Amino acid sequence: MSCGSLITHVYVSTPGRDSIMVACVYHSCLVTIMGYKTRVDLLLLNMVYFDVILGMGWFSPYHTILGCHAKIVMLAMPGFPWLEWRGSLGHVPSKVVSFLKAQRMVEKGCLAYIAFVRDASVDTPTIESVPVVTEFPDVFPTD
């Protein structure tokens, strides 16, 4: 199957970047959802962590119902039994920002703070407990 060109380029917003330009489309690809076969035009995205992104142009003719909070997609086509797909509810968004994302945010003018956080309930390690340090006690004084 060959990749066709789009008449106009499409820009897709992403969580990690500002946007990705899409210029390639695979026409009339067979997509099977829970045994039901349908055709869709797939746009080639240069990114990871996504299997497929179906747009409103595909959802509309299949009378799709989206339950974003519950992570449910239902196809409610007249004359067919409803098809329901449930996503995993186990993923909890991380509150950790990657170094690359933080760097991009700072480059855009965001204010950044550096902090050193230590668990005060855990004892501070002694020099003797660090293997390399024990070989050089004169270099690492007790203070």
Side-chain angles (χ1 to χ4, degrees):
M1 180 174 282
S2 64
C3 186
S5 296
L6 290 170
I7 296 169
T8 59
H9 292 209
V10 174
Y11 292 88
V12 178
S13 296
T14 66
R17 297 187 220 163
D18 292 331
S19 64
I20 293 175
M21 184 183 76
V22 179
C24 182
V25 61
Y26 290 94
H27 291 286
S28 192
C29 295
L30 182 64
V31 173
T32 305
I33 299 176
M34 299 179 69
Y36 182 80
K37 295 178 181 184
T38 180
R39 296 274 175 188
V40 65
D41 292 342
L42 297 177
L43 303 178
L44 180 62
L45 298 176
N46 185 21
M47 60 190 301
V48 294
Y49 302 119
F50 288 97
D51 295 326
V52 125
I53 299 175
L54 298 171
M56 289 298 163
W58 184 86
F59 284 141
S60 181
Y62 297 100
H63 301 265
T64 306
I65 300 167
L66 300 175
C68 296
H69 181 72
K71 295 185 179 182
I72 297 172
V73 177
M74 288 185 289
L75 303 180
M77 300 169 291
F80 290 94
W82 283 28
L83 297 175
E84 182 179 304
W85 179 83
R86 289 183 177 268
S88 169
L89 295 174
H91 175 69
V92 177
S94 173
K95 294 185 180 179
V96 176
V97 176
S98 73
F99 168 76
L100 293 174
K101 186 171 183 179
Q103 185 178 25
R104 274 189 242 111
M105 293 169 70
V106 169
E107 287 170 357
K108 289 181 180 180
C110 292
L111 192 57
Y113 297 95
I114 296 177
F116 176 76
V117 179
R118 185 177 71 83
D119 186 352
S121 66
V122 177
D123 292 332
T124 304
T126 62
I127 290 178
E128 294 78 24
S129 69
V130 182
V132 175
V133 172
T134 60
E135 296 173 22
F136 305 98
D138 55 324
V139 177
F140 299 99
T142 57
D143 60 326

